[in-house]
Amino acid sequence: MTSLHDVLAKSPARPGEPGESLTEHLTKTLEAASLLRQRVGRLAALPDDIRELFWDAVALAAFLHDAGKVADGFQRMVTGQARGWGERHEVVSLGFLPALVPDPGLRAWAAVGVATHHRPLTSPDGRSLEFLYGSAALAELRDRLGPVDPGLAGRLLEWLATTATAAGLAVQPPDGPVDVLAEAHALLGELLDTWTYKVTPDRGLAAVLVQGAVTLADHLSSAHGAFHTRQPLDAGFRPRLEKAWAETGRQPRPHQRRAAETDGHLIVRAPTGSGKTEAGLLWAARQVEAITAATGGAPRVFYTLPYLASINAMALRLGKLLGDEDAIGVAHSRAASYYLGVAITAEDDEETRVEAARKAVARAKATRLFRETVRVGTPYQLLRGALAGPKHSGILIDAANSVFLLDELHAYDPKRLGFILAATRFWKDLGGRIGVLSATLPQALLHLIEEALGETVHRVDGHGQGLPARHRLRLRDRHLTDPASVAEIHQHLAAGRSVLVVANNVADAQHLYDQLAPLALQAHGPEAALLLHSRFRRRDRSRIEEKIHDRFGTRPGDPAGRRPGLLVATQVVEVSLDVDFDVLHTSAAPLEALLQRFGRVNRIAARPPADVVVHAPTYAPRRRGGAEEYADGVYPREPVEAGWAILTRHDGAVVDEDQANHWLDEIYAGPWGERWCADVRDYRERFTEDFLTFTHPFHDRDQLTESFDQLFDGTEAVLRTDLEDYTAALDQAPDTAAGRLLAEDYLIPLPSWAPTRYDKKLGVRVVDADYDEERGLLAIHGGPAEPAYVPGEVI
């Protein structure tokens, strides 16, 4: 007679080791579901008839989700007696529910979690349970799934009933023998009758949250992982921060105090360098208290930023503020690279790098399992929850009853901004609190945020606090690359100033660097000239960013410690790069972007107003078609021209940051701004309707994943000339994931349409291009039917 102890849920991880028993795995998954319940707390967003039984249904589904692995076919496969089974164990698992769960409502919701934790329930593409088994009669189902030993199934039922009762679940012991496959067939039919057709949005939401909770518990159990149970942004954060400030002679500013005392959604508009990040964190700590009191959970705090470089910098900054870098998770597509970067130095030997890579991979996996209660990332990792299904619905349950800090929303185009605003409304409905932080926000965007949330949003303004003026505006009718512009920048360098030059595209940035770097290096020594844009290999960009911070980083206690030199950059310098320059020369761009660039100059107002010099752009259509003209090939002409017209009226004046927000309002009140608002609203409602209503909650959305990734993430490629080194890096570590992480040092970010080829053997895109470690990506060589790519065509 087969013992329950001998029934496996997982194959041995390594030869000679025991596999994981089914009872052990089910127990661990039930424990994970209990931890998730403690963390998320009560879900007020659910319909009344579902809210009270939601977590009991999740617990039952988590406990029973793999019970069907008792089937003979699965056991032969997992023990190596057969190469495969070819059937779905979750269908068999359904057959254990009717004998154990007498409440039909509770049973129906638990069945949702059991059936959908691996596959979509519906869709015609051959993957769904409906396609595989929806038309099968009981006899056919028996034939396909194969036998289930009645004695073994009975012993499993008894163990399930005893263990679930001890855990406080509403179950009953089985009343005699159970025909597991007959019960599974009947319950699958009930599920398909309920969920094949359109349901109300609230029931659809409940369904995907059940699915998300069960899949997350299963993944956590399988990975032998654990959640952080404490939120460091708690009631103790404010006194800790104020104590640290007091030790350096600082006091909270008025907008920081108001934010800390606000209960509810918040918009903070405050000058760059005035402490808006700390204001946001103080607000977040207050919301954590409120949500904890209301739900009993441990709210997560999500801090989102538009650019990967600024995310990495913010993660380090938050780690220092909270006094615990391990408390911060980095949630973006290249998180493992971040964890590796903070763990190694250039001097580390190969063995140290390999071990660090293995730990970085493990840390990134833990973050993907939602380990940390504070996470910094792009909004897109959260938006992926809209894809739902077994792969993404865990994001939805993790986002419930959470706090969201959205930094610099203006940086997104209307489509992405519309999607993000749709998501904020959804997160609010899931019990969340929304905070928006920005140095500059036009009234039009403020109204869109309030419109999306549909309720009171508190506004805290950090302007008008008597802070010293930092900038004096200068306009030049000539282009940034004009010889006269280059000569003017030369004068600043010769005078011993630190100079920031911001171009709108990579080609212009490279050209200016070639023109300006020799003088900076001659006058101020090695590493006095640096170039930063988005088309560098990861290893080179990390090296450059470290040099930028060392030479131009903000030094609040030592303003005289700034060093002369040159940084030429593109838009990557705009958000969350904590640098401080004497003077700025920039190409004209939308006013929000310019104001962000201004914020990198005289950052802490330790000097008289510094010159921010704006140069007229060149307008032309993009090569890839269309008659619309763009400033330097990047920004639509109309808002750039509108901003230029306003700046012209203030040429030579000291820039008042309160006044700058009025300039933005003027632009958005015009015809272009009206069209922009209409576009944002259209994309917001479209995303809500297509992705966030869940009226068909279990229909397969995997076909949308690729287009979603292209919209948000672009791609990466390795240089053809780096393939040998890339391959060697892959082989550096015995662990495949660690080797791939080490090899990622050679990847270069590219737009999704860039001409690349996919190397199936290496699993990476390859680009044939010229490259320089100081200057980055140069020309990409297209195929026979495709002209060569030039850097100025991408940001």
Side-chain angles (χ1 to χ4, degrees):
M1 183 175 70
T2 304
S3 166
L4 274 183
H5 179 74
D6 297 325
V7 178
L8 297 184
K10 308 284 183 181
S11 300
R14 298 176 182 85
E17 294 184 359
E20 184 177 33
S21 73
L22 179 58
T23 54
E24 181 184 9
H25 177 62
L26 295 180
T27 301
K28 287 181 178 178
T29 310
L30 177 58
E31 292 170 353
S34 177
L35 287 174
L36 183 61
R37 178 178 190 167
Q38 294 172 38
R39 194 190 219 200
V40 174
R42 294 182 294 276
L43 289 165
L46 299 177
D48 293 341
D49 62 324
I50 302 168
R51 187 184 309 122
E52 296 305 317
L53 55 78
F54 176 85
W55 285 113
D56 288 340
V58 167
L60 281 167
F63 190 45
L64 297 174
H65 76 292
D66 275 359
K69 289 183 175 181
V70 74
D72 290 10
F74 184 90
Q75 288 303 305
R76 286 197 303 273
M77 177 186 69
V78 79
T79 56
Q81 300 173 56
R83 295 185 62 183
W85 183 33
E87 303 298 336
R88 302 307 311 166
H89 67 269
E90 56 266 41
V91 173
V92 184
S93 299
L94 288 172
F96 289 85
L97 273 163
L100 292 171
V101 186
D103 182 339
L106 181 60
R107 182 170 64 240
W109 282 104
V112 162
V114 169
T116 65
H117 74 278
H118 280 308
R119 291 287 186 102
L121 188 64
T122 61
S123 79
D125 65 357
R127 296 183 64 255
S128 71
L129 299 184
E130 177 191 36
F131 184 92
L132 293 172
Y133 303 107
S135 61
L138 177 57
E140 181 186 348
L141 192 71
R142 290 188 193 279
D143 184 59
R144 288 175 55 185
L145 295 176
V148 177
D149 183 331
L152 189 57
R155 291 194 294 279
L156 179 59
L157 273 165
E158 291 176 5
W159 178 85
L160 289 168
T162 300
T163 308
T165 300
L169 301 181
V171 299
Q172 64 185 10
D175 184 17
V178 175
D179 186 340
V180 171
L181 295 185
E183 297 288 5
H185 182 266
L187 192 49
L188 178 62
E190 291 177 18
L191 280 173
L192 292 174
D193 287 344
T194 301
W195 299 106
T196 300
Y197 305 101
K198 187 175 182 179
V199 299
T200 59
D202 58 352
R203 292 184 68 80
L205 173 62
V208 295
L209 291 176
V210 168
Q211 180 188 49
V214 175
T215 56
L216 181 50
D218 184 26
H219 294 161
L220 191 70
S221 169
S222 297
H224 305 284
F227 292 129
H228 283 184
T229 57
R230 177 180 168 271
Q231 172 53 259
L233 279 167
D234 58 8
F237 174 71
R238 181 176 181 178
R240 289 196 304 271
L241 182 61
E242 291 182 349
K243 181 175 182 290
W245 280 346
E247 290 172 353
T248 60
R250 293 177 60 190
Q251 294 291 327
R253 288 175 170 162
H255 66 287
Q256 292 170 332
R257 287 196 297 269
R258 290 198 300 273
E261 293 159 4
T262 298
D263 185 13
H265 309 304
L266 175 74
I267 296 172
V268 174
R269 190 168 62 175
T272 301
S274 67
K276 71 177 186 298
T277 298
E278 288 83 353
L281 296 175
L282 288 165
W283 168 83
R286 172 69 182 268
Q287 310 322 300
V288 165
E289 288 184 72
I291 295 174
T292 299
T295 69
R300 279 71 61 220
V301 174
F302 298 95
Y303 197 115
T304 74
L305 285 153
Y307 306 122
L308 293 186
S310 55
I311 288 166
N312 295 346
M314 182 58 71
L316 291 171
R317 184 177 176 187
L318 290 183
K320 292 175 182 176
L321 279 171
L322 298 177
D324 184 2
E325 292 183 5
D326 286 339
I328 312 299
V330 173
H332 59 65
S333 58
R334 294 182 276 284
S337 291
Y338 163 79
Y339 291 127
L340 178 62
V342 297
I344 62 173
T345 67
E347 291 75 30
D348 286 334
D349 58 25
E350 181 176 321
E351 183 178 347
T352 302
R353 289 175 60 84
V354 169
E355 181 58 26
R358 293 179 64 180
K359 290 180 179 178
V361 168
R363 177 75 187 274
K365 286 180 178 178
T367 299
R368 286 198 295 273
L369 284 172
F370 316 113
R371 182 181 73 156
E372 297 91 352
T373 52
V374 178
R375 268 166 266 152
V376 186
T378 64
Y380 313 133
Q381 299 303 312
L382 286 164
L383 285 179
R384 291 182 72 85
L387 294 171
K391 292 181 182 178
H392 306 292
S393 54
I395 298 171
L396 300 178
I397 190 69
D398 182 57
N401 295 337
S402 292
V403 180
F404 301 84
L405 274 168
L406 312 178
D407 202 343
E408 303 302 351
L409 274 183
H410 69 80
Y412 304 96
D413 62 56
K415 177 184 286 188
R416 299 182 191 195
L417 179 58
F419 290 179
I420 293 167
L421 290 179
T424 62
R425 179 165 56 195
F426 179 73
W427 298 330
K428 181 263 296 185
D429 291 342
L430 280 179
R433 303 284 182 96
I434 311 300
V436 176
L437 310 177
S438 185
T440 56
L441 272 181
Q443 290 292 328
L445 182 49
L446 290 171
H447 292 151
L448 285 169
I449 294 166
E450 293 177 332
E451 187 180 283
L453 294 175
E455 57 186 61
T456 300
V457 179
H458 302 278
R459 297 187 186 185
V460 169
D461 201 324
H463 295 88
Q465 298 183 31
L467 298 176
R470 297 185 296 161
H471 308 125
R472 185 179 298 278
L473 178 65
R474 308 286 188 185
L475 262 60
R476 302 289 184 263
D477 286 330
R478 56 181 182 264
H479 194 264
L480 186 61
T481 59
D482 187 276
S485 303
V486 173
E488 185 176 1
I489 299 169
H490 270 156
Q491 291 175 1
H492 292 303
L493 291 169
R497 298 187 179 101
S498 57
V499 184
L500 173 62
V501 178
V502 184
N504 286 339
N505 63 57
V506 175
D508 286 348
Q510 290 170 332
H511 171 78
L512 287 161
Y513 180 77
D514 292 342
Q515 297 287 307
L516 296 166
L519 176 62
L521 294 169
Q522 180 183 359
H524 306 300
E527 300 182 359
L530 297 165
L531 172 66
L532 180 66
H533 54 74
S534 59
R535 307 303 175 205
F536 279 99
R537 290 185 301 205
R538 287 196 199 174
R539 63 189 304 173
D540 296 330
R541 178 161 176 167
S542 297
R543 171 180 51 80
I544 293 166
E545 287 176 350
E546 186 174 341
K547 290 180 179 179
I548 290 170
H549 183 268
D550 288 345
R551 190 171 192 96
F552 303 115
T554 303
R555 295 173 173 82
D558 183 21
R562 292 180 346 276
R563 299 162 67 189
L566 169 74
L567 172 61
V568 180
T570 58
Q571 294 86 331
V572 298
V573 79
E574 288 176 11
V575 177
S576 291
L577 194 61
D578 195 12
V579 290
D580 188 13
F581 291 86
D582 291 322
V583 64
L584 166 72
H585 281 259
T586 176
S587 189
L591 193 52
E592 297 99 317
L594 289 179
L595 294 172
Q596 288 293 325
R597 296 175 193 185
F598 293 176
R600 310 304 130 189
V601 176
N602 198 11
R603 188 166 175 83
I604 57 175
R607 308 181 295 284
D611 283 350
V612 288
V613 186
V614 183
H615 295 254
T618 298
Y619 296 103
R622 288 175 175 168
R623 189 184 72 176
R624 293 185 171 267
E628 186 177 357
E629 291 189 330
Y630 293 82
D632 298 326
V634 175
Y635 298 110
R637 178 169 189 152
E638 196 169 351
V640 176
E641 280 193 327
W644 180 265
I646 292 171
L647 295 178
T648 300
R649 303 200 303 261
H650 301 276
D651 187 11
V654 172
V655 176
D656 181 300
E657 300 201 32
D658 288 341
Q659 187 180 29
N661 279 299
H662 294 304
W663 298 349
L664 285 173
D665 292 338
E666 183 179 337
I667 293 172
Y668 281 88
W672 174 84
E674 292 177 0
R675 292 195 302 273
W676 179 87
C677 287
D679 287 343
V680 172
R681 288 189 177 98
D682 180 58
Y683 287 120
R684 182 190 70 200
E685 298 312 311
R686 194 182 305 179
F687 191 74
T688 298
E689 180 65 28
D690 292 347
F691 288 97
L692 297 176
T693 51
F694 303 112
T695 51
H696 292 90
F698 301 126
H699 198 71
D700 187 11
R701 297 186 179 191
D702 271 4
Q703 74 279 4
L704 300 172
T705 302
E706 184 176 353
S707 58
F708 191 92
D709 288 344
Q710 287 180 351
L711 175 63
F712 292 125
D713 288 337
T715 189
E716 289 184 304
V718 62
L719 292 165
R720 180 182 57 81
T721 52
D722 280 342
L723 277 177
E724 185 176 340
D725 291 335
Y726 180 85
T727 305
L730 285 176
D731 297 336
Q732 220 177 324
D735 179 84
T736 301
R740 187 163 293 282
L741 177 57
L742 291 169
E744 286 179 359
D745 264 354
Y746 294 95
L747 294 179
I748 301 173
L750 292 171
S752 58
W753 47 261
T756 60
R757 66 175 177 85
Y758 187 71
D759 188 309
K760 292 183 179 179
K761 182 180 178 182
L762 295 177
V764 69
R765 294 195 172 277
V766 180
V767 61
D768 185 10
D770 299 327
Y771 184 86
D772 180 85
E773 289 186 358
E774 279 188 73
R775 301 171 70 233
L777 188 73
L778 305 173
I780 296 178
H781 308 297
E786 189 156 5
Y789 162 97
V790 294
E793 292 185 301
V794 296
I795 296 174

